[in-house]
Amino acid sequence: MTKSYSESYKDAGVDITAGYKAVELMKEHVARTMIFGKTDSLGGFGGLFQLELGSIKEPVLVSGTDGVGTKLKMAFLTDKHDTVGIDCVAMCVNDIICVGAKPLFFLDYIAVGKNIPEKVSRIVSGVAEGCVQSQCALIGGETAEMPGFYGEQEYDMAGFAVGIVDKSEIINKANVMPGDVILGLASSGIHSNGFSLVRKVLDVENIDLSEPISKLKDKTLGEVLMEPTRIYVKPVLKLLENVNVKSIANITGGGFYENIPRALPENMTAKIKKSAIPVLPIFKYIQEKGSISERDMYNTFNMGIGMVITISKEDEEKAKNILQASGEEVYTLGEVIRSDDGVVLW
């Protein structure tokens, strides 16, 4: 089949043939995400996915969408493009598992100033890795070349995930009661939130990101800031199979003060002991460099806890054992009390 080609379009900055090459380079990464239900190959007009309901009686589809945000600026500065796709997937799938849904498939959108096929392929390799980690299929996406809108070395990306849950298994925060235990799962770093503040405080465009820093355990700032978002799908789904989980909060932008109350009913408050939180060195470093108040830190960043799970006291040890067996670092952060404060850190 003859490939389309436009000299005039190329002169305007859009190289159609580069787009074809990018798609060819993507295919090996997309193939890694093949799971039951994915029925088409890359390059069609729509991504197809055949539902296998199994024992699900009342299927409810759950969707989530997000981007990577200004963390992409760090990818430009470090010339590292193979992990931001993990961030993009994580920001979506970590949201939908908060209602108990199993991710099924993911689609991405990548807009570039100049289509460099090898770079686009590296970006998509990260998306594929995120899908593998969350056991969902990458069934399609879009790459748009937009000269004059983005710089030649710049790009933006976003995506969305769709999951499924039986209506009777949807996590209902109304079941949260005083005395319930609050567990925290360790984060891998800053994840993909708060980078506008990070970039301002650390002045990342004017420092050496490749220099090891003792306060960061001799890791470079570039390495620490580019650490991809942890994906919690597998351990949380395993937990849901064995324990009555009452609520889950994904700690993203807005930190503790914004996200945890979203997973609690009215008149309930999460009482969290600060000493139980494994604050990562990067957060201490940012706070010191920017003279940022403790309140603002906990209202912006995850501080070392990427996901919060509320369960009955009687299920605490069982839940911790399941999560630890899945490779998670688990911390008992506190308990639920009857109050209108939402979150209390003490």
Side-chain angles (χ1 to χ4, degrees):
M1 182 177 69
T2 302
K3 294 287 188 180
S4 65
Y5 176 77
S6 170
E7 190 67 43
S8 298
Y9 209 8
K10 185 175 182 180
D11 288 344
V14 179
D15 188 348
I16 297 172
T17 57
Y20 294 141
K21 182 177 181 182
V23 170
E24 287 300 316
L25 293 175
M26 290 177 199
K27 286 183 177 179
E28 64 175 291
H29 304 305
V30 175
R32 296 181 59 215
T33 75
M34 289 292 291
I35 62 172
F36 181 86
K38 187 175 185 294
T39 61
D40 68 326
S41 60
L42 198 64
F45 285 96
L48 306 180
F49 192 91
Q50 180 179 343
L51 282 176
E52 174 57 50
L53 298 179
S55 61
I56 298 177
K57 297 178 180 179
E58 296 182 274
V60 177
L61 295 180
V62 182
S63 60
T65 184
D66 212 332
V68 182
T70 62
K71 185 174 183 176
L72 289 177
K73 287 283 190 179
M74 300 306 308
F76 306 157
L77 290 171
T78 58
D79 195 27
K80 182 172 177 58
H81 309 285
D82 59 349
T83 59
V84 289
I86 300 175
D87 290 298
C88 193
V89 175
M91 299 302 291
C92 299
V93 297
N94 283 346
D95 273 351
I96 68 175
I97 61 170
C98 288
V99 296
K102 172 183 171 56
L104 294 174
F105 59 82
F106 187 85
L107 285 89
D108 61 12
Y109 172 80
I110 303 169
V112 300
K114 181 178 176 60
N115 192 335
I116 303 171
E118 292 76 14
K119 179 185 284 189
V120 173
S121 177
R122 291 201 298 274
I123 298 168
V124 174
S125 75
V127 177
E129 174 59 27
C131 289
V132 169
Q133 289 184 24
S134 53
Q135 297 179 306
C136 69
L138 177 57
I139 65 170
E142 172 70 11
T143 302
E145 190 170 17
M146 301 170 64
F149 195 87
Y150 297 100
E152 286 196 357
Q153 298 302 318
E154 295 181 338
Y155 57 88
D156 196 7
M157 68 182 305
F160 78 91
V162 173
I164 191 170
V165 61
D166 200 320
K167 187 176 180 179
S168 64
E169 301 297 324
I170 294 174
I171 296 174
N172 185 357
K173 67 181 182 181
N175 295 321
V176 175
M177 301 291 291
D180 286 343
V181 172
I182 300 168
L183 300 180
L185 304 186
S187 70
S188 56
I190 300 175
H191 286 183
S192 194
N193 299 104
F195 271 86
S196 293
L197 179 58
V198 171
R199 289 167 41 241
K200 178 182 177 182
V201 166
L202 301 184
D203 192 23
V204 294
E205 295 184 358
N206 296 302
I207 62 174
D208 185 358
L209 295 171
S210 64
E211 182 180 348
I213 298 175
S214 59
K215 291 184 178 180
L216 301 180
K217 298 183 178 180
D218 290 326
K219 292 184 178 180
T220 70
L221 194 56
E223 289 173 331
V224 174
L225 296 182
M226 284 300 293
E227 184 67 33
T229 305
R230 188 164 182 81
I231 292 176
Y232 299 100
V233 171
K234 292 180 183 178
V236 169
L237 290 179
K238 186 68 174 178
L239 182 68
L240 291 172
E241 291 175 1
N242 296 279
V243 173
N244 178 29
V245 174
K246 296 192 173 185
S247 73
I248 305 177
N250 185 19
I251 310 303
T252 56
F256 282 54
Y257 286 105
E258 181 178 321
N259 292 291
I260 295 177
R262 293 167 62 188
L264 298 173
E266 292 184 10
N267 303 319
M268 295 292 169
T269 290
K271 186 179 180 182
I272 294 174
K273 187 182 294 185
K274 285 185 288 187
S275 61
I277 299 170
V279 179
L280 296 172
I282 184 59
F283 296 116
K284 297 176 182 178
Y285 188 75
I286 292 168
Q287 184 174 14
E288 178 184 311
K289 288 287 187 179
S291 299
I292 302 171
S293 71
E294 182 180 74
R295 167 78 191 206
D296 283 354
M297 290 296 294
Y298 280 95
N299 210 157
T300 306
F301 302 109
N302 68 62
M303 301 302 287
I305 294 294
M307 188 154 282
V308 168
I309 300 172
T310 304
I311 56 170
S312 298
K313 175 66 177 175
E314 62 192 41
D315 289 326
E316 178 181 357
E317 289 307 311
K318 181 179 181 181
K320 292 178 78 170
N321 288 337
I322 291 170
L323 291 166
Q324 288 167 347
S326 298
E328 297 301 312
E329 294 178 32
V330 190
Y331 302 86
T332 299
L333 302 181
E335 64 176 342
V336 176
I337 62 173
R338 194 177 298 280
S339 163
D340 294 323
D341 296 315
V343 176
V344 173
L345 296 175
W346 64 285

